[in-house]
Structures are given as structure tokens and as C-alpha cells.
Amino acid sequence: MPFRKLLIANRGEIAIRIARAAAELGIPTVAVYSTDDAASLHVRQADEAVALPGSGARAYLAISEVIAAARQTGCDALHPGYGFLSENPALAQACAEAGITFVGPGVQALQTFGDKVLAKALAAQCGVPLIAGSDGPVDVAGARAFLDQLGPGGALMIKAVAGGGGRGMRAVHRAEELEEAHARCRSEALAAFGRDEVYVERLIAQARHIEVQVLADAQGEVVHLWERECSAQRRHQKIVEIAPSPRLDAGLRERILQAAVRMARAAGYCNLGTFEFLVDDAVDPASEGAFVFIEANPRLQVEHTVTEAVLGVDLVQAQLQVAAGATLASLGLTQSEIPVPRGHALQMRINMETLDELGHTRPSGGVISVFAPPSGPGIRVDSFGYAGYRTSAAFDSLLAKLIVHSASPRFADALAKAQRALRELHIEGVATNTPFLEALLAHPDFSAARITTRFIDSHVGELVRAQSRAQAPRLHAAIPGGSAASAVAGRTGASNTSSGLSGATGASGGLGAQAAPATGPEGSEPVASPLQGTVVSLSIAIGERVRAGESIAVLEAMKMEHLVAAPQSGIVRAICCAPGVTLMEGEAIAFIEPVEGEDGAQVERVALDLDHIRPDLADLQAREAFLWDANRPKAVARRRATGQRTARENIAQLFDESSFTEYGSLSFAAQRARRSIQDLIENTPADGVIAGTGTINAEHFGPEASRALGIIYDYTVLAGTQGHMNHKKQDRMLQLAQRWRIPLVLYGEGGGGRPGDTEGLGLTGLDGPTFAQFARLSGLVPIVGVVSGYCFAGNAALIGC
């Protein structure tokens, strides 16, 4: 045996994966778990289990406690898996000081590749192409200076110096977006990696993500195990990985493979690692700028499974054996012995989440009532899910990895196998992204391997709409009325296509507190949590009377706060949670007894006058009033004097009645000398541009086919001028047009930009970046331009465009 005993410093599916590999080598294993993670399956898959103090992810990040668990159980080796402490040099150092073998690269390699700036410096020394970017961490001013250097139409990517996985990462296309994006990236980086430094790189618009798996021994021998294609990403997080890449020029592949090996050898790398590159699809594969290095991950990757499938090599066992001192030659893993990939393999990440048409992700959770993975030749599922398991909001949303392999040289055969496997997968009780994955794999651009890293974000609306249409038949047994487990868990027919309500009698495993009871005091009714979230505050007490619609709690989910209102008037008889407790969707916040008779009359008497308008609502109505022609008689009169319609009348004539949904209606021009805020509210409504969505001739074409976007300049707003919010609104419309692929109608009438607001081109208020967005829409969506009124003579050429 390579080791006496192995501690697995991780949880979930990767901990199970490591335990299985160690068992095949005859190595006993020890699992660790946080106090709220005792029901996770990895605890039962190891030979021993040790509880870590604390709850949630923080428990797994406590180096001293992890080392103490290893010592306590007599472990002489530690495998960190991925995430958590896997790239932390302090853990590797602590292992060395305790006489425990760290299954991964050494401290120096972790320090080099854990800092993207140092990694890029190494790449430069090795002659590996790099993307243009800052030499080190930058503040907002430095990022702005770099963006200015890129020139018109240039865009940059902000990235965290430490870590990865899409955290601390934002694309910036306009200078106005920079400060907010920089702040968000620093905040995310600090929360995820303990460091808030960020750097910037030029954004490659048509990038494909190619990564190379390497393996090295302590004698300096380094080999590659071919590449993986990871371009299917949702907001920089991978959801489908493929090995090998189904569309990569042979010469370019060889250059990328050798670049990875060269860097690993120069770094004195030992153990398993991944080197990641971007391939520019807009560049000739033979050219020097065809690919660039972006980062290296000195650890086991989530997607190692597809490399294992096409090569028949157990990478985790190789990790353990190399860490114990084996050479690649002794393992039969020299470069000449590593086979050429056989066929193709795909890995689909089954996440407990759903997406909307704007790409916003909503986490899901609850008690899994049915968990039946697909099976058969070439199908593998790595997961910690099981029927009866209560999921946790404290950890990542990844529930399972579905891996399929086809030995056929045709990528289409592996794709068809993956699509069938998704249809066989049967999960009930929690919502997953399975329908979205089915829509993605069915898209013709995916089957043709034409996607880039921006494909999903650009097509998310189309994909979400596709998943809501009739799906292919399910290839698993239907459970009439929901499964027995569903009934026990307090559900009725929850499935993997809709969020199920969390039951009350399932295992309490994933929550930071015991689940709320299913029933309250006699005669009371529950107030259910509308979503999975953490209780921020409660505004009720037992015995207190509440009115229907009155706020009783505040929940936080996805960094947003949500008010929960009482569904009925009555008396609070029980409170089932406290601030800091995480609730699943449908769990009881409190129980209210509906009030009848005299008590009901008392509640009724304190009800608000239904004709009363709250001051904040009255202010909102007053603000909205200045949008409408009826409240702007002078502006309308000037319009009538020239025999023209108003912008609002143009909307009414073009879009179907009551179908237009306006975006940013309450914006107004930036404050200026000699003009008060109220003056600007009254005279610059919507900041001079009306933008939104609606339908045109829906009675003939149907609601879906008749959808359109509108950008209508309002000439009556200070002579049709424009401001900062004006530009942001029209840019948002252009982004949606590109994402949703629906027609855009532009009423371009206007008087030009105000000096200092923008480097406007005049006529329609188009600045350089906005004009570039219009250019990107060319050939993608129909654009109808309606131009009238006065314009500067110098812009005559723009009319022709």
C-alpha cells in the first residue's frame, strides 16, 4: 500500500471519488464533515469519519482542525480534492510539518500557480503566448488606463489574482461599468479566496476554453494526457466538458500540449495539474496569436472524469501513487505509453439550480425524494445524492456529474448518448438544470462544436425558452401521484423541472438548524418560505396579531433581500426559525391562527383605510406622472406646432395595446448647475429615451413570434438630448436584442449629446461603444430605423449607415 491511511479533506462527490480510488489501492480512508453535513453520503463511503468543529464551508477551511483530524486518526497522507483548501500552500506546509504527505504539488508550485500574476510570468519565461493585461494587481484607475489603451470597441476582463471557478471575474465593455465591476470582483475574491487583489486582461470576444491535463513525478518527468474542451460555460462556470476537443486544429493542439508540458517542467511540477488556454476562434490556427495561456490549476479538476473515460487511466490512483514516490515509468505512464484518446466523452454538471431568460440563477433545495441515475455501458455518475437526503444551502449547487463515453470517432455518437442519459436521469424533490442541459445539447451550434465561452450567456433566453417546450419522452418510470418518498417528505409531485417544497420529516443533514415542524398548534396554518434563503430578521412575536399582507420576515437569497408577508390575518401561534437559519423553499416560517368572531373584528378595525395612499407610493405616482403626455402640456404643444406625434404616441401606434413593458422609466438626466432635481424629473423624463419590450401584431403571429424591442428617442426632452442613463438603457436593449435574437425598432430622432456626457455622434445619440453594439447585431436580428426631425449636417453619412 502506498500509504497507511488517507484523510480526505473534502466532501460530496469528490470525497467519494477519492475514497473509491484509495480502496482499490488498499488504502483505508478517513472522511471529515461539518456539523451540518453529517448526512452527506461521503461520510458513509469512507472507513472512518471525524466531525470538524463549526458548520458550512468554513469548517472545511480550518487547516488546524483538518490536520488535527489526520493526526487523531493516524493518517500519513491527505488528499484535498478540489476547491476548499486544494490550492492552499499553507495546508501543504502544515502537512509537511506534521509528517503527512500532501497528495498534490509542492508548496512552491502552489504558490506560483495559485497567483495568476506569477503564473503568467512563468509562461512568459517559457515562451508561451499570453493575453495582453496588467503586470500585477490594479486599482480602478489602473484598470481604466488599461481599458483606454485598448481603444474604441475594446473590452477587458477583471480577474481575481487568487482562485478561479468564475468567482471574482467580470467582463467590462464600457468605462461606466468599470468601477462597479472592480468592486464586485474584489468583494467576491475576498469572500472566496481570502485575497481581494484583481488584475485585468484584454477580453477575447470569440474565445474557446481548452485545458491540458498533465502528470509529473518527483524525478522531473512530465507528460500530458491530452486536452479537454470546456467552452460551455455559464457566467464563467463550466457546465459541460468534452474530451478530447471535437474541433481543434491538429497543429494548434500540439503547440498547446507542448506549452503545458514546458511550463510544468520549468516549474518543477509534481503530481496532477491542469493548464488552461484560450483559443481565439477569429484567428488563423497557424498564427502566433491563435492561443494564449490564462491560468493553471495545481490540483485534481472537476472534469478529470472525461480524460479518464477516453484514456482508461485512473487519475486519482495515479495521484496517490506519484505522491507515494512512484515514477511515471513504473506506472506505465510515460508519454509513449499514454494512448491516443478513444472516441469522445462528455461530462454534464447536474446542479441544483434553475435559470431565467436573463441568465439569472436561482438555487434550489429540499429533500431528494427520488434519485435514480442512468446506467449502462459507457455511463458513469459521480454524486453524493440519495433518496431522503436534505440538501444544504451552505455548499456548492453541484449534485452530480453525469459522464458518458462513446468509442466512436464521431462526436455526434457521444452527444446522442449524452442526450439519452439525461432523459434516463430521474431526480425528484429538488429542481435541477437538467432541462437546460438538454436544450443546450440539442442546439445545432453545440452539436457542430461551434460554441465559444460566451455562447450560453448570449443564447440563454433562447435555451430557457427551448427547455420549457415539449421535451423528449422521459426514459424512466413515472410515479403516479409522486413517489412514496415524496409523500413522506410532504410533497406532491415535485420533479426535476420545478422546485419542490421542502418536506419536514426528511433528514436534517444539510441545514444549519433543524427543519421546521410539518404541523403547528391546532387550528393554525403555516406561512411558507417562498424560496430557499437565510432569515435576516423576523418582525413578529408569539401571540401577536398580524394583518394579511403585513411583512413578517426578511429572507436573503443570492445577495438579495426578500420580504415575506402574512397570507392572512390572525394570531401568531408558533415561530419556526430565527435569524441566521437557512430555510428551504416551502418550509414554515411561522404558524398563524386565522381569527374569527370578535377577535376577527378587532383585526378588521385596525386595518388601513383602503383609499389611503402611502407617502412613498404617492411619490412614485407623482414621478410616473411626468412620463405621460397628459401631464406635459407645454412639451406636447410644441410637438403639435410642427405637426408631429409624441414619442408616447409612436409607441402606442407601433406596439400592441398594453403590451409594452418599459425599462428604466424613472431615470432622468444627471444633475447640472441651475437645475434642481425636481426640475430634471419634470423636464427630462426617462432621460430622453423610452426603451422596452412588447409585441407587434400578436393577433396574427402569436405572442412569441411578435416580440420586439423598442428604443424611442423623445425629442421633447430638452431638445432631444441624452444623458448617462440614456446610454445605459439603450445599451441594455442592444444586449437583449443580441441575446434573445428578436427584432429591434429604433426611432432615432434627437438633437445630439450634451458636451461632457458622451463623445456622441449626434443624430441618434450613438456613442462609439453603442455604435459598435449595433454593428454586432448586423445579420443577427432585424433592425428597423425610423429617422426624422433635425440633425447636424456632419451626421448625414450616419443616416446612410
Side-chain angles (χ1 to χ4, degrees):
M1 293 187 297
F3 299 110
R4 184 174 61 253
K5 190 183 291 187
L6 174 72
L7 184 123
I8 304 170
N10 217 297
R11 67 175 300 277
E13 55 83 20
I14 192 59
I16 294 172
R17 168 74 185 93
I18 296 166
R20 288 170 174 164
E24 291 187 19
L25 293 175
I27 307 171
T29 53
V30 177
V32 292
Y33 61 94
S34 61
T35 56
D36 58 341
D37 206 20
S40 182
L41 188 59
H42 79 278
V43 177
R44 294 163 177 78
Q45 291 282 329
D47 298 294
E48 299 176 55
V50 176
L52 297 171
S55 62
R58 290 184 181 179
Y60 292 95
L61 294 172
I63 293 176
S64 60
E65 299 296 343
V66 169
I67 294 295
R71 281 175 162 166
Q72 171 190 334
T73 53
C75 292
D76 58 342
L78 181 150
H79 197 307
Y82 58 73
F84 290 143
L85 296 169
S86 61
E87 297 179 67
N88 193 312
L91 175 63
Q93 183 63 44
C95 284
E97 293 171 356
I100 298 170
T101 300
F102 179 79
V103 181
V107 173
Q108 183 175 352
L110 288 170
Q111 291 173 336
T112 298
F113 294 116
D115 186 317
K116 294 186 178 71
V117 176
L118 293 178
K120 290 174 65 177
L122 175 66
Q125 294 172 15
C126 295
V128 177
L130 287 169
I131 190 169
S134 61
D135 295 329
V138 294
D139 55 15
V140 174
R144 182 172 287 110
F146 180 77
L147 182 61
D148 291 342
Q149 292 174 12
L150 297 177
L156 60 78
M157 183 72 77
I158 303 175
K159 292 184 175 181
V161 168
R167 295 176 179 86
M169 197 170 175
R170 291 279 196 288
V172 176
H173 297 270
R174 301 191 55 181
E176 301 93 291
E177 305 167 353
L178 191 56
E179 187 169 353
E180 175 66 17
H182 189 273
R184 295 285 69 75
C185 286
R186 289 188 60 192
S187 177
E188 289 179 8
L190 183 63
F193 316 119
R195 296 177 58 185
D196 67 354
E197 302 103 315
V198 296
Y199 69 104
V200 293
E201 290 179 341
R202 178 180 66 86
L203 178 67
I204 297 178
Q206 299 183 50
R208 292 166 58 206
H209 190 129
I210 302 294
E211 62 185 31
V212 178
Q213 181 72 72
V214 302
L215 181 63
D217 61 24
Q219 283 67 45
E221 183 64 29
V222 181
V223 298
H224 70 74
L225 294 98
W226 302 94
E227 87 285 352
R228 299 184 284 258
E229 171 103 29
C230 306
S231 300
Q233 300 178 11
R234 186 254 306 145
R235 296 195 173 182
H236 313 302
Q237 294 190 337
K238 307 164 188 173
I239 60 173
V240 178
E241 296 98 345
I242 308 167
S245 169
R247 183 174 64 91
L248 187 62
D249 176 81
L252 180 57
R253 170 184 284 115
E254 185 60 25
R255 287 156 57 200
I256 293 174
L257 294 174
Q258 293 309 314
V261 170
R262 197 158 64 245
M263 286 187 65
R265 188 169 285 126
Y269 198 86
C270 181
N271 214 269
L272 203 67
T274 300
F275 288 75
E276 305 198 352
F277 304 86
L278 291 182
V279 170
D280 193 336
D281 244 12
V283 173
D284 182 348
S287 69
E288 185 177 343
F291 79 98
V292 291
F293 167 78
I294 52 172
E295 64 181 5
N297 291 297
R299 55 172 168 81
L300 182 68
Q301 290 277 96
V302 179
E303 58 272 20
H304 73 278
T305 58
V306 288
T307 296
E308 291 181 327
V310 295
L311 296 184
V313 175
D314 190 314
L315 295 180
V316 180
Q317 287 190 23
Q319 272 193 295
L320 292 166
Q321 291 167 315
V322 167
T327 65
L328 297 183
S330 68
L331 299 175
L333 291 176
T334 61
Q335 195 67 70
S336 61
E337 293 173 295
I338 293 173
V340 173
R342 187 171 63 100
H344 290 90
L346 291 87
Q347 173 179 279
M348 293 143 285
R349 301 194 189 192
I350 310 300
N351 296 330
M352 295 178 287
E353 64 187 24
T354 57
L355 278 78
D356 64 19
E357 291 192 24
L358 296 179
H360 298 145
T361 303
R362 178 177 178 175
S364 66
V367 177
I368 299 175
S369 54
V370 175
F371 188 82
S375 59
I379 295 178
R380 164 181 167 184
V381 177
D382 286 11
S383 177
F384 60 97
Y386 62 87
Y389 175 69
R390 176 182 291 276
T391 66
S392 172
F395 303 104
D396 188 85
S397 65
L398 179 65
L399 175 62
K401 302 186 308 193
L402 173 55
I403 306 102
V404 301
H405 173 236
S406 169
S408 166
R410 288 169 20 97
F411 174 62
D413 294 336
L415 180 60
K417 193 170 195 174
Q419 291 171 309
R420 180 179 178 87
L422 283 171
R423 291 165 60 196
E424 290 185 15
L425 178 65
H426 189 189
I427 299 173
E428 290 193 16
V430 297
T432 72
N433 64 337
T434 303
F436 186 83
L437 291 171
E438 290 188 60
L440 174 63
L441 267 57
H443 196 286
D445 285 344
F446 189 94
S447 59
R450 288 193 297 260
I451 67 171
T452 66
T453 56
R454 299 176 65 186
F455 175 83
I456 291 178
D457 292 339
S458 299
H459 294 75
V460 66
E462 174 188 351
L463 293 169
V464 168
R465 290 192 293 274
Q467 76 175 23
S468 64
R469 301 190 189 108
Q471 299 182 38
R474 302 296 89 192
L475 300 179
H476 55 68
I479 302 177
S483 66
S486 293
V488 171
R491 288 187 180 81
T492 52
S495 72
N496 67 345
T497 58
S498 62
S499 293
L501 302 181
S502 356
T505 58
S508 61
L511 288 176
Q514 182 69 25
T519 59
E522 186 177 355
S524 64
E525 297 181 7
V527 179
S529 173
L531 45 74
Q532 177 182 344
T534 301
V535 179
V536 175
S537 63
L538 293 167
S539 54
I540 53 174
I542 294 176
E544 183 180 25
R545 286 185 171 88
V546 295
R547 296 185 297 273
E550 182 179 344
S551 176
I552 66 168
V554 178
L555 302 182
E556 182 182 14
M558 299 292 287
K559 300 182 180 179
M560 298 287 289
E561 293 189 350
H562 306 265
L563 294 176
V564 180
Q568 59 193 352
S569 298
I571 301 173
V572 178
R573 294 304 185 192
I575 297 176
C576 308
C577 58
V581 170
T582 298
L583 296 174
M584 295 297 176
E585 182 177 353
E587 283 192 312
I589 296 172
F591 283 86
I592 295 176
E593 178 186 350
V595 177
E596 299 178 358
E598 184 60 28
D599 285 338
Q602 279 186 294
V603 173
E604 187 65 29
R605 279 196 294 271
V606 298
L608 291 174
D609 180 2
L610 296 180
D611 293 326
H612 172 73
I613 299 177
R614 297 196 321 262
D616 56 343
L617 181 57
D619 179 63
L620 173 63
Q621 292 176 341
R623 286 280 304 276
E624 289 181 327
F626 294 110
L627 301 174
W628 315 119
D629 291 347
N631 298 310
R632 305 182 64 225
K634 291 182 180 179
V636 174
R638 289 194 301 269
R639 201 67 173 154
R640 294 285 184 264
T642 58
Q644 294 175 298
R645 286 197 303 257
T646 67
R648 295 286 171 184
E649 288 172 330
N650 284 334
I651 293 174
Q653 190 226 22
L654 176 65
F655 289 94
D656 297 334
E657 185 176 359
S658 301
S659 73
F660 190 76
T661 300
E662 188 168 350
Y663 171 71
S665 62
L666 296 183
S667 58
F668 54 88
Q671 188 171 7
R672 294 185 168 275
R674 299 185 303 280
R675 287 192 176 273
S676 66
I677 293 293
Q678 186 59 34
D679 179 35
L680 292 167
I681 290 174
E682 295 178 11
N683 291 291
T684 64
D687 202 8
V689 68
I690 303 168
T693 63
T695 60
I696 301 174
N697 295 331
E699 71 275 14
H700 297 300
F701 304 108
E704 185 69 20
S706 62
R707 295 174 72 222
L709 290 153
I711 300 176
I712 301 92
Y713 269 79
D714 188 350
Y715 190 83
T716 67
V717 174
L718 294 181
T721 54
Q722 60 197 314
H724 294 294
M725 297 308 299
N726 177 305
H727 283 284
K728 290 184 178 181
K729 288 164 63 175
Q730 63 176 311
D731 285 353
R732 180 58 174 163
M733 292 299 103
L734 298 178
Q735 292 167 5
L736 293 178
Q738 183 176 11
R739 180 179 295 176
W740 292 344
R741 302 294 177 90
I742 63 175
L744 170 68
V745 180
L746 169 68
Y747 280 81
E749 180 180 9
R754 288 191 296 271
D757 270 358
T758 179
E759 297 178 2
L761 298 179
L763 175 63
T764 62
L766 298 180
D767 62 357
T770 302
F771 191 76
Q773 287 200 59
F774 268 108
R776 283 195 292 270
L777 292 178
S778 178
L780 291 180
V781 302
I783 302 176
V784 178
V786 182
V787 182
S788 61
Y790 302 100
C791 64
F792 295 122
N795 287 318
L798 187 57
I799 298 175
C801 295

